[in-house]
């Protein structure tokens, strides 16, 4: 039954995405905020499908901690889930993402229109400068810059592997940094089609104020996020019967 429900959801999820991509093509000619409203609608419809078909619900904690205006959002990254599910909680979000995604037909067009912040992972220091300048421009416009500070999806329970890039970005943007913990990887595992029933919890934590020394950010993020991530991991394991026993990956240097 789990496999059948997971298969049904995956079919519905991608079919839903295609429908939204096609019927919303006219928004490419409208102001960006019209497109972001569409993105929120697509995200909510995807969460609805996940709840109805796969039985995977969402619990949100700490909404009051989201600051007004521009901020840097540092979120744990365990799953594809957070790449869309966070969108409805922010007034005008943009993601820092792989440049290659911008070249996908249809989908990439929307990313360009939404003024996402691409980064060329092979571009070295010059690519980092371009990404930082673009992110700073969006932050000045009051947008929320969402970044996954570990760079790639990590399995639930893995040791933290924060990259220095977020500290560089924090020092340049001059805005608060909002830490976000979650346990999505228990229910939407990376590189697997299984979608487990239960409750994904995402918790917005008190923001780290702007203006702190750059080198203090990563330790502050680890101190804020990791204990909560471990607590949410334990909560999720208890809900699904402890059937997940991930082998923690070796942490890379920040």
């Amino acid at each position: 039954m789990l496999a059948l429900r997971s298969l049904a959801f995956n079919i519905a999820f991608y079919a839903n995405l295609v429908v939204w991509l096609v019927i919303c093509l006219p928004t490419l000619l409208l102001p960006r905020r019209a497109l972001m409203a569409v993105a929120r609608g697509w995200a909510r419809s995807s969460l609805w499908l996940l709840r109805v078909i796969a039985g995977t619900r969402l619990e949100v904690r700490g909404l009051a901690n989201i600051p007004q205006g521009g901020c840097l959002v540092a979120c744990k990254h365990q799953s594809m889930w957070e790449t869309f599910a966070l969108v409805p909680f922010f007034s005008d979000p943009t993601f820092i993402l792989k440049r290659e995604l911008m070249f996908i037909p249809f989908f990439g067009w929307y990313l360009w229109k939404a003024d996402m912040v691409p980064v060329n992972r092979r571009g070295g220091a010059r690519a980092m400068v371009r990404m930082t300048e673009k992110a700073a421009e969006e932050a000045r416009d009051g947008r929320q810059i969402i970044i996954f500070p570990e760079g790639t999806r990590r399995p639930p329970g893995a040791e933290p592997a924060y990259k220095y890039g977020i500290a560089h970005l924090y020092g340049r943007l001059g805005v608060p940094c909002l830490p976000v913990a979650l346990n999505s990887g228990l229910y939407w595992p990376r590189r697997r089609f299984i979608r487990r029933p239960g409750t994904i919890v995402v918790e917005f934590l008190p923001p780290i104020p702007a203006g702190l020394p750059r080198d203090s950010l990563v330790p502050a993020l680890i101190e804020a996020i990791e204990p909560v991530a471990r607590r949410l991991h334990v909560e999720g394991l208890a809900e699904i019967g402890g059937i997940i026993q991930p082998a923690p990956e070796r942490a890379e240097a920040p």
Side-chain angles (χ1 to χ4, degrees):
M1 182 60 70
L2 176 62
L4 288 175
R5 293 180 72 179
S6 299
L7 178 60
F9 167 74
N10 282 294
I11 293 172
F13 175 78
Y14 288 106
N16 182 55
L17 173 60
V18 170
V19 169
W20 279 86
L21 289 175
V22 172
I23 66 174
C24 294
L25 278 172
T27 62
L28 294 174
L29 303 176
L30 299 176
R32 177 176 53 79
R33 287 189 178 271
L35 178 60
M36 296 310 299
V38 166
R40 282 189 285 271
W42 166 66
R44 291 190 179 101
S45 69
S46 299
L47 290 171
W48 181 82
L49 289 171
L50 186 62
R51 176 173 55 85
V52 171
I53 300 175
T56 311
R57 300 173 298 278
L58 168 62
E59 179 182 343
V60 183
R61 302 172 185 172
L63 277 174
N65 288 322
I66 299 177
Q68 298 294 316
C71 69
L72 180 63
V73 181
C75 182
K76 288 289 285 185
H77 193 18
Q78 297 181 354
S79 167
M80 180 181 171
W81 180 88
E82 50 268 17
T83 64
F84 68 87
L86 294 179
V87 170
F89 300 107
F90 296 99
S91 60
D92 194 12
T94 182
F95 284 81
I96 294 178
L97 45 75
K98 294 185 298 183
R99 185 185 64 168
E100 291 80 2
L101 296 175
M102 309 286 281
F103 302 119
I104 299 174
F106 287 92
F107 187 72
W109 304 346
Y110 288 97
L111 297 180
W112 282 106
K113 181 65 178 182
D115 279 333
M116 297 297 168
V117 182
V119 58
N120 181 3
R121 292 181 173 179
R122 300 179 181 178
R126 182 175 298 180
M128 178 66 73
V129 169
R130 286 197 294 266
M131 181 272 288
T132 303
E133 290 176 349
K134 174 65 173 174
E137 176 185 341
E138 299 303 326
R140 284 193 297 269
D141 287 342
R143 302 189 72 185
Q144 300 79 45
I145 315 298
I146 301 175
I147 183 172
F148 302 120
E150 293 174 283
T152 189
R153 291 173 295 173
R154 302 273 294 162
E159 290 296 317
Y162 291 73
K163 312 298 183 185
Y164 179 75
I166 190 169
H168 173 81
L169 201 57
Y170 169 79
R172 177 68 176 81
L173 266 56
V175 294
C177 181
L178 177 70
V180 184
L182 44 73
N183 62 2
S184 58
L186 292 173
Y187 304 90
W188 187 314
R190 62 177 193 156
R191 302 171 187 164
R192 297 184 62 189
F193 86 99
I194 290 295
R195 306 291 175 256
R196 292 189 175 88
T199 304
I200 294 175
V201 180
V202 57
E203 188 161 344
F204 298 101
L205 306 171
I208 297 169
L212 297 181
R214 181 183 303 178
D215 292 342
S216 70
L217 180 68
V218 169
L221 284 176
I222 292 174
E223 182 179 357
I225 294 175
E226 292 306 313
V228 179
R230 287 193 293 270
R231 169 168 53 79
L232 298 181
H233 181 67
V234 171
E235 287 183 24
L237 285 178
E239 180 180 47
I240 61 180
I243 61 174
I244 307 294
Q245 298 296 332
E249 295 185 355
R250 183 182 299 275
E252 302 176 20

